Amino acid sequence: MARVLHNLLVFSIRLALKIRVLGYWSLIYGYCALCTIVALLKLWWNIVLRPTTTFQWAIRETPPACLNDTSLGTHCYVRIKESGLRFHYVAAGGRGKPLMLFLHGFPEFWFSWRYQLREFKSEFRVVAIDMRGYGESDLPLTTESYRFEYLVTDIKDIVEYLGYNRCCLVGHDWGGTIAWLFAIHYPEMVTKLIVLNCPHPSVFSDYALRHPSQLLKSSHFFFFQLPRFPELMLSINDFKALKALFTSRSTGIGRKGRWLTAEDMEAYLYALSQPGALTGALNYYRNVFSSLPLSQNNVRSPVLLLWGERDAFLEQEMAEACRLYIRNHFRLNIISGASHWLQQDQPDIVNTLIWTFLKEGEGRKSYRN
């Protein structure tokens, strides 16, 4: 009798797990279908309104002058032996100084850290990289090449190539996700972790499944699972959707923020209009659902989480919930009126808060190798 009950319990648990997995993927594919229908309606409406210009967009052939601004640093390249990929990065500050490594988000590249490169080069070796698939870094063709483990290993390899065994790691958006994961898997290599507008990955997955409002704000995660069609929708009308991300009232930099100049916008369009660039950026999303939930969660480095109050994509409640996974000092700063594009929107406030965090506890000397 006991054996029968045991077998029945095991069967029930396995069945419940299978139903849960089925429900999880049904939700994903169902929401993908809904987002596709909405996108097709938008495309149809664009064709009605602009029949001659909808399918016109231009590849920017020449980089704008701001990308060669010497005050931001020196353009460098590194080829990682293990992966065979070449990475582009911009570096400033003395080589003997402690390393501060910046990881950008979507749809950005190293240029999103221009205000921080100028600010922190006095005390740090500052390095802003183009992550794989972005900017002048190599663009792997397969979707599987953008799995979490490869993205995290990229950061480890780059830190070691630069001659360091640890760094102060700063990440925004997708760069924030990779920064969280790197701190989880390589805690000995992160002296301090600074994340901008990106929750801990486990907080995001748990919260989104329980809050339909966050699922709605994350609809692009589902739409981007489709092959090719998202690239088309981001390209039509000469990349109008990409421009709107940074400039529209709903998702763009706030009225009190530091708006992108026309040249800044051209820098983004130069990077993202290149052949294959959008596919590389979108491939980050195309692996996210198969990579969650995480097997490890705890962060043992001191953490500063900066959050723009007006983030159009992420609900603020997730910021405080990150505390659950941090086994060290945790500081959270909500910046009033700031958008998702925090380090560009409010660079002076962001830089001041980072300096304050860096001076806490052990002091700057602890950063030296």
Side-chain angles (χ1 to χ4, degrees), residues 28-264:
I28 291 170
Y29 286 119
Y31 204 4
C32 284
L34 177 62
C35 292
T36 303
I37 293 170
V38 172
L40 285 169
L41 290 173
K42 287 182 178 180
L43 178 61
W44 174 80
W45 188 242
N46 267 282
I47 294 172
V48 170
L49 293 178
R50 307 175 187 87
T52 60
T53 62
T54 294
F55 295 104
Q56 293 181 5
W57 58 85
I59 297 175
R60 273 57 176 177
E61 301 289 348
T62 305
C66 61
L67 293 183
N68 295 312
D69 184 348
T70 55
S71 71
L72 297 177
T74 304
H75 291 260
C76 308
Y77 299 86
V78 52
R79 185 171 296 280
I80 302 300
K81 183 177 180 181
E82 289 75 10
S83 66
L85 297 179
R86 190 184 77 154
F87 289 88
H88 167 255
Y89 63 93
V90 173
R95 293 182 181 272
K97 295 177 180 178
L99 176 63
M100 180 179 280
L101 187 66
F102 295 95
L103 310 180
H104 64 80
F106 171 89
E108 300 171 295
F109 64 121
W110 72 266
F111 186 67
S112 68
W113 298 109
R114 56 197 178 280
Y115 298 113
Q116 288 68 45
L117 288 171
R118 290 193 184 102
E119 176 70 20
F120 295 100
K121 66 182 179 181
S122 62
E123 293 290 334
F124 291 88
R125 175 67 171 172
V126 289
V127 173
I129 68 172
D130 282 337
M131 296 168 68
R132 72 163 61 192
Y134 278 94
E136 295 183 51
S137 292
D138 280 351
L139 196 162
L141 297 177
T142 63
T143 303
E144 291 72 22
S145 297
Y146 297 82
R147 292 181 61 85
F148 280 175
E149 58 263 35
Y150 299 132
L151 301 174
V152 171
T153 301
D154 287 344
I155 307 309
K156 176 179 180 292
D157 291 340
I158 290 170
V159 170
E160 292 177 343
Y161 169 83
L162 293 171
Y164 292 84
N165 53 38
R166 53 183 178 166
C167 67
C168 174
L169 188 60
V170 189
H172 168 251
D173 187 78
W174 259 106
T177 297
I178 305 308
W180 283 114
L181 293 170
F182 186 79
I184 291 169
H185 291 282
Y186 297 100
E188 73 284 356
M189 297 185 71
V190 181
T191 53
K192 289 196 174 185
L193 175 65
I194 301 169
V195 179
L196 288 72
N197 280 78
C198 178
H200 186 290
S202 292
V203 169
F204 175 76
S205 58
D206 293 344
Y207 185 91
L209 289 173
R210 291 185 288 107
H211 294 82
S213 56
Q214 180 56 56
L215 274 181
L216 184 62
K217 290 182 177 181
S218 302
S219 59
H220 58 288
F221 275 73
F222 300 87
F223 177 56
F224 290 166
Q225 303 306 307
L226 300 173
R228 298 190 178 89
F229 189 41
E231 285 91 329
L232 172 65
M233 291 301 294
L234 290 173
S235 301
I236 61 173
N237 296 313
D238 198 31
F239 305 101
K240 181 181 178 181
L242 288 175
K243 298 173 187 175
L245 281 175
F246 294 106
T247 61
S248 71
R249 289 186 178 182
S250 58
T251 64
I253 292 173
R255 288 178 297 174
K256 296 181 180 180
R258 193 172 297 190
W259 290 7
L260 296 184
T261 66
E263 189 178 41
D264 292 339

